Amino acid sequence: MPLDPQVKVLMDQIAAAPGPTLHTLEPAEARRLTANMFRVPPERAEKIAKVEDRKIPGPAGEIPIRIYTPEGTGPFPVLVFFHGGGWVIMDLETHDGPCRALTNKAGCVTVSVDYRLAPENKFPAGVEDCFAATKWVAAHAKELNADANRLAVGGDSAGGNLSAVISQLARDAGGPKIAFQLLIYPATEAELDTYSHKTFTDYFLTKDDIVYFWKHYLRSPADRKDPRIAPALAKSFKGLPPALIITAEFDPLRDEGETYGEKLRAAGVPVTVTRYEGMIHGFFSMYEVLDKGKLAIDESAAALRKAFAK
């Protein structure tokens, strides 16, 4: 299919805007450049019953988190959310909009995790922070007005990668029990050799951007073979949580996300894989201007509700 008309307008606007390309910038400058990319202005932000910023203990110091609580009495199910950004950029603010939407639509507490970023903190720092935060949420569910027996993990892109990795780590460690994994165009491999990687090299997330992110995140080329980097390389996929995997047609990460879904399905894991035709990487966070972004949020929330009801 061709690019969605709304995406075409967006891509034309990006192409016409002067400015440096992300992969030419130092990480600190790249963060400044992208700080407002997905941020929903306060006046348009979805209303939430309660939003609280906290810091929790982590393996290398405190981890900032943001806790979103919906209307109602609880205890609520809980989603631990890991933001995208190639493990290098983005933060709690860039993903505030989707977290608010998921909280309200899924009727869950959402805990967004501000894990350490590369290259200042290379792999496995982000993995360690996300696993520590997931265990903290499970252990402190009662004080969050949440139910540890209905705990999901989720995220987009690098956050989808981290969600898949945390699901594997939790299974292998015997807990915490994860009821569901929401993987939004996740990175699941590190070789960059799929058809979609070779074909969709310049649709918002470019080939140069991807190489830039991996260069900053990895300690050495050997890390590419570590399942905590590339969850598709896990020895087994049995016993992993049910999953929704969302992919985009014109996304370099499309094929590895869909292949990961096939691996889960072959291992007997309930999984839904939904490809959004005409879409690009990042469309989930672009829901204010892309109708299919809204649909993806609605599908994600419905899948979470269904998983939490079991």
Side-chain angles (χ1 to χ4, degrees):
M1 288 183 66
L3 273 179
D4 183 277
Q6 291 180 324
V7 171
K8 179 69 166 59
V9 169
L10 188 65
M11 293 290 291
D12 288 345
Q13 290 172 342
I14 292 171
T21 51
L22 187 144
H23 69 271
T24 64
L25 300 173
E26 290 298 317
E29 186 57 34
R31 289 170 199 145
R32 285 191 287 272
L33 178 72
T34 56
N36 294 313
M37 185 176 289
F38 299 131
R39 189 174 296 178
V40 178
E43 64 272 14
R44 293 207 306 270
E46 204 166 317
K47 296 294 183 286
I48 293 286
K50 181 183 177 186
V51 180
E52 179 188 5
D53 286 349
R54 290 182 61 173
K55 292 183 177 179
I56 61 173
E62 293 183 317
I63 304 169
I65 62 171
R66 180 167 294 169
I67 306 161
Y68 302 83
T69 304
E71 294 285 353
T73 54
F76 300 100
V78 58
L79 168 67
V80 187
F81 187 88
F82 313 123
H83 67 79
W87 309 277
V88 174
I89 59 174
M90 306 295 182
D91 55 21
L92 299 181
E93 299 298 339
T94 58
H95 287 67
D96 182 69
C99 285
R100 287 172 178 266
L102 289 171
T103 299
N104 282 339
K105 292 178 182 293
C108 66
V109 169
T110 300
V111 180
S112 186
V113 180
D114 205 7
Y115 55 90
R116 286 173 288 162
L117 297 177
E120 297 89 343
N121 300 281
K122 289 181 175 285
F123 169 80
V127 172
E128 292 172 347
D129 282 0
C130 291
F131 196 28
T134 303
K135 290 188 285 189
W136 184 91
V137 170
H140 293 80
K142 189 171 289 188
E143 71 182 77
L144 301 176
N145 197 14
D147 178 3
N149 293 313
R150 293 183 292 160
L151 185 153
V153 294
D156 61 316
S157 193
N161 167 278
L162 290 164
S163 299
V165 169
I166 298 313
S167 295
Q168 293 183 8
L169 292 178
R171 175 201 62 183
D172 296 345
K177 172 117 178 97
I178 295 175
F180 189 75
Q181 49 182 328
L182 172 62
L183 311 181
I184 304 157
Y185 31 80
T188 67
E189 304 172 12
E191 299 302 334
L192 317 184
D193 60 358
T194 64
Y195 171 83
S196 59
H197 267 291
K198 294 173 182 175
T199 306
F200 307 121
T201 57
D202 200 26
Y203 291 87
F204 185 70
L205 177 66
T206 69
K207 181 178 180 179
D208 288 334
D209 293 337
I210 295 170
V211 171
Y212 172 89
F213 289 138
W214 280 114
K215 178 188 77 172
H216 286 307
Y217 186 47
L218 300 176
R219 298 167 301 185
S220 74
D223 282 340
R224 293 181 185 274
K225 301 298 186 184
D226 192 316
R228 295 172 299 163
I229 284 278
L233 298 180
K235 289 189 174 76
S236 171
F237 301 92
K238 290 186 182 298
L240 289 171
L244 169 63
I245 301 175
I246 286 175
T247 65
E249 182 183 8
F250 290 88
D251 183 357
L253 304 189
R254 183 193 75 188
D255 292 352
E256 65 197 76
E258 295 176 1
T259 299
Y260 193 69
E262 293 169 7
K263 288 176 181 286
L264 293 178
R265 189 174 290 116
V269 176
V271 58
T272 298
V273 179
T274 305
R275 179 191 293 185
Y276 281 77
E277 304 293 349
M279 288 292 108
I280 56 173
H281 192 84
F283 82 97
F284 186 89
S285 294
M286 303 174 189
Y287 65 93
E288 282 212 307
V289 294
L290 299 178
D291 290 341
K292 287 186 178 178
K294 296 185 184 73
L295 288 176
I297 286 179
D298 287 345
E299 181 182 12
S300 299
L304 286 165
R305 279 189 176 276
K306 182 178 178 182
F308 291 145
K310 291 182 178 177

